[in-house]
Amino acid sequence: MKKILLCCAVLGLTACSGVGNINDEKVFFAFDSAAISDDSRAELERQSVYMKRNPDINVVLEGHCDERGSTEYNLALGALRAGNAAHVLIAEGIEPERIKTISYGKERPQYPGTGEEVWALNRNSTTKVVEAE
């Protein structure tokens, strides 16, 4: 499915599943990392295609972390994750003023529970679509 979405993004096809909306889309990170993986880069490139086609929207990139570590550490890591995701969008030609970032660190987990599976889901940057002002 990821290969299909990437091909659709590269070819500029809007009829492909998943290209119609980027609200609540997520890119995931490894433990203790803000590095953008190849899969995450492909997802962000797909999001940039959507943004180019929809110049009337802006995004807020929310940085999230798992429950381990201090509040301060996770707020900083969440900021790095959201910032790195923003850098990919900017490198793909999205104007910086269309992107805002916020870090929720570990303070707003998106998935309840504990353990590696849940922690992996909570290590993300989530894209929220907002109307341009």
Side-chain angles (χ1 to χ4, degrees), residues 98-120:
R98 293 180 61 196
I99 304 166
K100 291 191 181 349
T101 62
I102 188 167
S103 176
Y104 290 117
K106 67 179 186 177
E107 302 306 305
R108 288 179 65 179
Q110 295 177 311
Y111 301 92
T114 191
E116 187 51 47
E117 288 180 14
V118 173
W119 293 334

Side-chain angles (χ1 to χ4, degrees), residues 17-57:
S17 174
V19 179
N21 191 345
I22 61 171
N23 193 52
D24 286 325
E25 292 293 320
K26 295 172 180 24
V27 295
F28 296 94
F29 296 87
F31 174 70
D32 198 28
S33 175
I36 301 289
S37 68
D38 291 341
D39 286 344
S40 292
R41 184 171 305 283
E43 169 58 27
L44 291 164
E45 289 169 355
R46 185 187 71 78
Q47 291 182 27
S48 75
V49 170
Y50 180 85
M51 290 184 72
K52 288 174 187 174
R53 290 202 177 138
N54 295 277
D56 57 327
I57 62 130

Side-chain angles (χ1 to χ4, degrees), residues 45-97:
E45 289 169 355
R46 185 187 71 78
Q47 291 182 27
S48 75
V49 170
Y50 180 85
M51 290 184 72
K52 288 174 187 174
R53 290 202 177 138
N54 295 277
D56 57 327
I57 62 130
N58 295 332
V59 295
V60 175
L61 301 175
E62 300 176 345
H64 295 274
C65 299
D66 65 40
E67 65 187 357
R68 298 171 290 178
S70 71
T71 298
E72 294 79 15
Y73 175 82
N74 281 308
L75 283 171
L77 182 57
L80 283 172
R81 289 173 173 170
N84 287 349
H87 285 291
V88 173
L89 293 176
I90 292 165
E92 290 297 314
I94 303 303
E95 300 86 352
E97 55 274 3

